[in-house]
Amino acid sequence: MTDVLVLNAGYEPLHRVSVKHAITMLVREVAVVEEFVEGASFGPYPLPRVLRLVRYVTMRWLYRGGGRPAVTKDGIKRRDGACAYCGGPAQTVDHVVPRSRGGDSSWLNLVAACRPCNHRKADRTPLEAGMPLRLAPYVPPFDHGLVRRRRRARPVAA
């Protein structure tokens, strides 16, 4: 168990945090344990599985316009699970309508792709490349599990 689900005070899912961060939240008394791992503890605290914030928090940074989860390469790969062109392993992300032709980086214009398919399609539309999509891109709901905690940059050793 590496991640702990954090719920808002109104029981809406917010994000996931590490166990270390979850224990820090308990020590600071900004959250309470809603669900824990049976028989496991961390000092005086049960090992949490789900935390609930004591105060309601508005998390606008999770959304970019209109209640949609933020678009990330990792989120696109998780949404599709495999290459949208051949079904192979998803290694990269491809723009359905290329950026050079006005395509944006949105949930509806990005699909997961393997490197060979991404290079083969190049700067063309799927129709021009003769590579039909095996799945239609869609905007996932927030609770679909595609929005994860952001990784922090590690300090550079001097």
Side-chain angles (χ1 to χ4, degrees):
M1 158 102 29
T2 57
D3 286 342
V4 177
L5 176 65
V6 177
L7 304 175
N8 211 340
Y11 293 92
E12 304 92 9
L14 284 180
H15 57 277
R16 293 184 174 275
V17 296
S18 67
V19 172
K20 180 180 176 183
H21 188 104
I23 297 300
T24 303
M25 291 172 73
L26 290 173
V27 170
R28 291 176 36 223
E29 297 180 354
V30 297
V32 294
V33 177
E34 285 294 319
E35 187 177 316
F36 57 91
V37 178
E38 284 293 326
S41 64
F42 190 88
Y45 303 102
L47 189 61
R49 205 176 267 161
V50 179
L51 292 181
R52 180 179 51 84
L53 296 178
V54 175
R55 288 183 174 178
Y56 190 83
V57 176
T58 304
M59 302 292 282
R60 291 190 181 111
W61 60 269
L62 286 175
Y63 302 114
R64 288 192 185 147
R68 296 181 181 186
V71 179
T72 63
K73 287 182 180 182
D74 196 36
I76 296 291
K77 288 185 213 175
R78 268 195 223 121
R79 177 196 68 186
D80 297 350
C83 177
Y85 301 108
C86 72
Q91 300 159 327
T92 185
V93 174
D94 182 55
H95 288 80
V96 177
V97 176
R99 286 188 296 177
S100 63
R101 298 186 183 194
D104 60 346
S105 295
S106 66
W107 285 107
L108 300 176
N109 193 44
L110 290 172
V111 293
C114 63
R115 282 190 176 88
C117 287
N118 199 350
H119 288 287
R120 187 174 141 219
K121 181 180 165 285
D123 194 24
R124 301 177 288 180
T125 65
L127 183 63
E128 292 170 348
M131 301 171 66
L133 289 171
R134 301 178 105 195
L135 55 94
Y138 63 94
V139 179
F142 175 70
D143 59 352
H144 196 258
L146 301 179
V147 178
R148 298 281 184 180
R149 62 187 167 98
R150 295 181 182 199
R151 295 182 186 163
R152 291 186 181 163
R154 294 184 181 178
V156 178

